[in-house]
Amino acid sequence: MNDKKKEIISNILGIIFIIWFIGSFIVMIKIGKNDDILCLAVFGQLFFVPGLITLVAAIKAKESFWVQGIITLVGAGVIVGTLIEKY
């Protein structure tokens, strides 16, 4: 793939990430008014998804990935813990 295509793909993924991030905060505000527990689950995915993306990138680049692994586990733990508490 040439540099122009990589730049376009990078820009599109950046825009998608920003929309997802802002949308998560909007959902947290809407849900937080009615249900604090599910608001915490949405907060947990704010750690889980970027942590998972950076974890995959670090493994692919064959770098040390323990920090990304911890962030991913924290996000997953918050999501699972809040859903167990709710249901």
Side-chain angles (χ1 to χ4, degrees):
M1 207 183 311
N2 61 17
D3 291 336
K4 183 86 170 170
K5 286 184 180 179
K6 286 182 181 178
E7 184 180 342
I8 291 171
I9 291 172
S10 177
N11 289 339
I12 290 172
L13 291 176
I15 291 170
I16 290 171
F17 182 79
I18 290 172
I19 291 170
W20 164 78
F21 193 75
I22 292 172
S24 294
F25 278 109
I26 292 171
V27 168
M28 281 175 49
I29 291 170
K30 291 282 188 181
I31 291 176
K33 292 178 182 177
N34 300 327
D35 194 356
D36 292 336
I37 299 294
L38 288 180
C39 183
L40 283 174
V42 174
F43 181 72
Q45 66 95 23
L46 284 174
F47 284 95
F48 179 72
V49 173
L52 190 62
I53 292 169
T54 57
L55 180 66
V56 169
I59 291 172
K60 193 174 185 180
K62 296 180 179 156
E63 298 175 351
S64 177
F65 55 87
W66 66 274
V67 173
Q68 293 90 346
I70 291 173
I71 292 171
T72 305
L73 285 175
V74 167
V78 170
I79 293 170
V80 169
T82 55
L83 292 177
I84 288 172
E85 178 71 25
K86 176 70 178 176
Y87 300 111

